[in-house]
């Protein structure tokens, strides 16, 4: 005889629901729907949003029952999901108000000198934040620049709220001293930073004979500096390129290498064109879910490749600036296909070329650890305010649409390329599902657009979709392309 479901425990109902019992699902819904609405109202305080938040959270919980480790804790688990959903909805509402306010004309128009002074102060503030210790910089950036509440920021970096508050307090204290020094015309002194900057400046001396290994060590240290010495590193890169490729013959050789590398990166693997393969299926699902992003060709027609390479060579040698298709496009949201290289460490984790450049020592068997990934790169190219929450929500919505039952983590990601960034990973994968963030502002951009870039590693998504491991391809073609 079947017992009355109203008398069954949460654990029993969860177990039956996992086996496909629709009545058990309905009972869980009826049992917790009033609590879900009450919790959502406690966060939102706005009745017109409560139903949507509670319904979305309840759907996530009931569809993700297989991810619940302790079946008797369904109520507490649902409460966490409702709170997170409601906070995200509240954050989206607040951010939308900010965007609308930003579009309205100001009451008082600043004079040009006032605008320049304001921009300079903003730059100084960002520079001061960049010099904070890692954990303080992370907290201050998320809270003050990226629009997260204290609770959201704490959840994002996976620490208690009290810990996040302490980091914010310590960051504010440190900032006061740094900003006072900057306002008085003095830069804060950091012994290690000053040493690395002097070593970088020495590399610009054309008469100095420096050991190649020593150059690599200095560059690796510079990659870890905050703020990142972008201008100095650009000068060094141009000087190195001009020295290495100063003749027409050497430039022709460099052009040949670049053309071979571009050929590898622009050609998708056969798996991506095979409708029966999980990689092709997940790529199609991602494109469908990202309908607001227009698919573009990164380099345009292949017959224009030589022209692009010549532009790059001139830019790298300091003889001109390369006008990138990505920087000059009028599109606000777009994506493109490419391939990218990853390297595996001793623990099985996969890392990008940029991350590898920050390691103190490069593994001697580097190319035995390499793999070639098919990827989508998403780009935001907008005039309105852009924060990390926008990117986070995009990835959450994408995962919900493509692989709704696969748990994942999102963590802050530190790279000199980004103002603020994140790294997404499915819980059972060692390959990142997504890496990217808000790009550092381009001071020469007259349109003052804000840009963001996030790379999706399709193998990670395909593995999550199919339930089977989809590995990277052999990186030998990329390695061979680097050889003249």
């Amino acid at each position: 005889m079947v017992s009355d479901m109203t008398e069954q425990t949460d654990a029993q109902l969860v177990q039956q629901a996992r086996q496909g019992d629709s009545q058990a699902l309905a009972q869980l819904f009826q049992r917790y729907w009033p609590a879900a609405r009450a919790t959502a109202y406690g966060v939102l305080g706005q009745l017109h949003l409560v139903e949507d938040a509670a319904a979305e959270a309840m759907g996530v919980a009931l569809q993700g029952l297989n991810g619940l480790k302790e079946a008797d804790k369904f109520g507490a688990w649902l409460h966490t999901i409702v709170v997170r959903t409601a906070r995200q909805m509240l954050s989206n509402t607040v951010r939308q108000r900010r965007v609308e306010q930003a579009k309205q004309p100001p009451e008082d128009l600043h004079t040009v000198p006032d605008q320049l002074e304001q921009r300079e102060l903003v730059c100084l503030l960002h520079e001061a934040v960049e010099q904070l210790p890692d954990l303080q910089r992370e907290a201050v950036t998320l809270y003050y620049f990226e629009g997260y509440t204290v609770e959201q920021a704490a959840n994002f970096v996976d620490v208690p709220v009290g810990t996040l508050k302490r980091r914010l307090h310590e960051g504010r204290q440190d900032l006061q001293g740094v900003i006072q020094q900057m306002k008085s015309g003095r830069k804060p002194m950091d012994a290690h930073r000053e040493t690395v900057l002097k070593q970088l400046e020495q590399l610009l001396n054309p008469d100095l004979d420096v050991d190649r290994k020593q150059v690599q060590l200095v560059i690796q240290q510079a990659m870890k500096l905050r703020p990142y010495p972008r201008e100095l590193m650009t000068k060094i890169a141009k000087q190195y390129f001009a020295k290495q490729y100063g003749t027409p013959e050497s430039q022709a050789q460099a052009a040949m290498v670049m053309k071979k590398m571009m050929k590898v990166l622009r050609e998708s693997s056969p798996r991506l064109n095979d409708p029966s393969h999980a990689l092709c299926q997940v790529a199609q699902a991602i494109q469908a879910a990202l309908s607001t992003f227009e698919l573009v060709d990164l380099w345009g027609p292949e017959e224009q490749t030589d022209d692009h390479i010549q532009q790059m060579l001139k830019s790298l040698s300091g003889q001109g600036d390369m006008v990138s298709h990505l920087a000059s496009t009028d599109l606000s949201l777009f994506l493109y296909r490419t391939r990218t290289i990853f390297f595996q460490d001793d623990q099985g984790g996969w890392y990008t070329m940029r991350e590898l450049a920050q390691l103190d020592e490069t593994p001697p068997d580097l190319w035995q650890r390499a793999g070639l990934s098919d990827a989508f790169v998403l780009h935001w190219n907008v005039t309105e305010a852009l924060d990390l929450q926008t990117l986070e929500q995009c990835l959450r919505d994408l995962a919900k649409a493509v692989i709704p039952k696969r748990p994942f983590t999102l963590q802050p990601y530190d790279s000199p390329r980004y103002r603020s960034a994140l790294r997404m990973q499915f819980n059972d994968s060692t390959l990142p599902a997504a890496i990217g963030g808000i790009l550092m502002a381009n001071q020469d951009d007259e349109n003052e657009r804000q840009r963001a870039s996030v790379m999706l590693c399709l193998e990670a998504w395909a593995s999550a979709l199919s339930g089977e491991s989809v590995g990277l391809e052999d990186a030998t073609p990329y390695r061979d392309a680097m050889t003249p």
Side-chain angles (χ1 to χ4, degrees):
M1 180 176 180
V2 179
S3 61
D4 184 354
M5 282 197 174
T6 60
E7 300 177 357
Q8 291 185 315
T9 65
D10 285 355
Q12 291 172 322
L13 289 174
V14 167
Q15 184 61 33
Q16 293 170 19
R18 284 172 173 169
Q19 296 171 356
D21 191 332
S22 59
Q23 291 186 2
L25 277 173
Q27 182 60 33
L28 283 171
F29 180 90
Q30 293 173 7
R31 183 175 293 184
Y32 283 101
W33 175 245
R37 291 184 75 256
T39 300
Y41 182 74
V43 175
L44 292 164
Q46 302 175 57
L47 287 173
H48 67 286
L49 296 176
V50 167
E51 295 281 343
D52 289 343
E56 181 177 342
M58 186 68 79
V60 170
L62 294 179
Q63 292 176 20
L65 287 176
N66 289 332
L68 176 59
K69 294 182 180 180
E70 300 179 69
D72 60 334
K73 298 292 180 63
F74 176 82
W77 184 58
L78 174 63
H79 180 271
T80 300
I81 296 174
V82 174
V83 170
R84 184 172 63 240
T85 302
R87 284 176 176 169
Q88 188 63 59
M89 187 173 290
L90 182 62
S91 176
N92 290 343
T93 303
V94 171
R95 184 166 61 249
Q96 182 60 36
R97 286 177 185 165
R98 289 177 185 166
V99 171
E100 291 173 355
Q101 291 171 358
K103 292 179 179 179
Q104 296 176 359
E107 295 180 4
D108 298 319
L109 292 176
H110 295 292
T111 63
V112 173
D114 288 339
Q115 292 174 342
L116 292 176
E117 182 179 355
Q118 187 178 34
R119 182 181 294 184
E120 183 179 358
L121 287 174
V122 170
C123 290
L124 287 175
L125 178 60
H126 277 277
E127 185 174 338
V129 172
E130 287 273 307
Q131 296 188 49
L132 292 175
D134 291 350
L135 296 179
Q136 294 178 21
R137 183 179 72 248
E138 180 180 84
V140 169
T141 299
L142 290 175
Y143 182 72
Y144 287 105
F145 296 151
E146 300 305 331
Y148 287 78
T149 65
V150 171
E151 291 78 11
Q152 289 171 333
N155 181 60
F156 188 47
V157 299
D158 196 24
V159 298
V161 171
T163 300
L164 199 284
K165 287 182 177 179
R166 187 183 71 250
R167 292 175 184 174
L168 279 174
H169 175 70
E170 293 172 346
R172 284 193 294 264
Q173 285 186 320
D174 288 351
L175 275 177
Q176 289 177 359
V178 173
I179 291 174
Q180 285 300 322
Q181 287 180 296
M182 288 183 168
K183 287 173 66 177
S184 63
R186 295 179 293 113
K187 289 294 184 73
M189 295 297 291
D190 180 315
H192 173 70
R193 178 181 178 82
E194 294 300 319
T195 298
V196 176
L197 290 180
K198 287 180 180 178
Q199 291 174 336
L200 283 175
E201 289 172 352
Q202 289 176 353
L203 297 181
L204 290 172
N205 184 351
D207 300 325
L208 188 66
D209 186 17
V210 184
D211 178 69
R212 182 174 180 178
K213 186 171 181 60
Q214 179 62 26
V215 173
Q216 291 177 335
L217 290 175
V218 174
I219 297 300
Q220 286 169 345
Q221 292 301 311
M223 291 284 289
K224 301 175 185 178
L225 291 182
R226 296 294 182 273
Y228 178 68
R230 189 175 309 277
E231 185 176 348
L232 197 52
M233 291 286 280
T234 300
K235 289 181 180 179
I236 291 172
K238 288 184 176 180
Q239 177 177 286
Y240 171 80
F241 188 87
K243 184 177 180 180
Q244 292 295 114
Y245 303 100
T247 66
E249 293 77 15
S250 60
Q251 288 197 14
Q253 188 178 68
M256 181 182 66
V257 170
M258 294 172 72
K259 189 170 184 177
K260 291 195 310 183
M261 292 176 66
M262 284 171 54
K263 181 177 175 61
V264 173
L265 296 181
R266 74 185 299 167
E267 290 184 354
S268 304
S269 69
R271 302 179 301 175
L272 204 56
N273 299 314
D274 180 1
S276 65
H277 199 282
L279 204 67
C280 178
Q281 294 166 4
V282 83
Q284 292 175 345
I286 288 174
Q287 270 191 262
L290 295 173
S291 57
T292 56
F293 285 77
E294 183 172 340
L295 182 64
V296 301
D297 186 351
L298 175 61
W299 290 105
E302 191 166 356
E303 56 266 22
Q304 295 181 5
T305 297
D306 290 338
D307 292 337
H308 295 318
I309 289 176
Q310 291 305 315
Q311 290 177 337
M312 292 177 65
L313 290 173
K314 288 181 179 179
S315 175
L316 291 171
S317 62
Q319 300 173 18
D321 294 319
M322 183 181 70
V323 180
S324 167
H325 287 290
L326 302 184
S328 61
T329 181
D330 291 328
L331 295 174
S332 296
L333 302 174
F334 58 97
L335 63 89
Y336 63 85
R337 296 173 182 169
T338 186
R339 306 188 83 187
T340 188
I341 197 81
F342 281 94
F343 300 91
Q344 194 169 35
D345 64 10
D346 294 333
Q347 287 71 47
W350 291 93
Y351 298 92
T352 66
M353 188 83 80
R354 291 180 182 273
E355 291 173 311
L356 192 72
Q358 298 184 56
L359 298 179
D360 292 331
E361 291 187 14
T362 302
D365 57 342
L366 180 66
W367 286 103
Q368 280 68 48
R369 300 166 177 259
L372 202 55
S373 168
D374 283 285
F376 278 148
V377 180
L378 315 184
H379 269 274
W380 288 255
N381 184 36
V382 297
T383 54
E384 65 266 20
L386 184 62
D387 58 42
L388 195 63
Q389 279 189 301
T390 301
L391 276 60
E392 179 185 348
Q393 189 59 45
C394 175
L395 292 175
R396 290 189 182 279
D397 291 343
L398 181 61
K400 182 179 178 181
V402 177
I403 316 172
K405 297 184 180 181
R406 283 286 182 174
F408 59 86
T409 59
L410 280 163
Q411 296 177 330
Y413 176 63
D414 187 19
S415 169
R417 185 185 181 201
Y418 302 105
R419 182 187 83 195
S420 186
L422 51 76
R423 182 185 182 106
M424 175 185 181
Q425 204 148 333
F426 292 109
N427 291 2
D428 55 354
S429 174
T430 59
L431 184 70
I435 296 179
I438 313 295
L439 294 165
M440 296 296 289
N442 181 2
Q443 301 300 325
D444 298 326
D445 185 0
E446 297 179 355
N447 296 321
E448 295 187 357
R449 286 176 177 262
Q450 293 198 40
R451 295 185 174 88
S453 175
V454 174
M455 180 176 65
L456 307 179
C457 308
L458 295 183
E459 286 81 3
W461 292 80
S463 298
L465 178 67
S466 66
E468 300 179 358
S469 178
V470 178
L472 301 185
E473 289 205 322
D474 183 17
T476 301
Y478 187 87
R479 182 193 62 188
D480 293 344
M482 295 175 66
T483 306

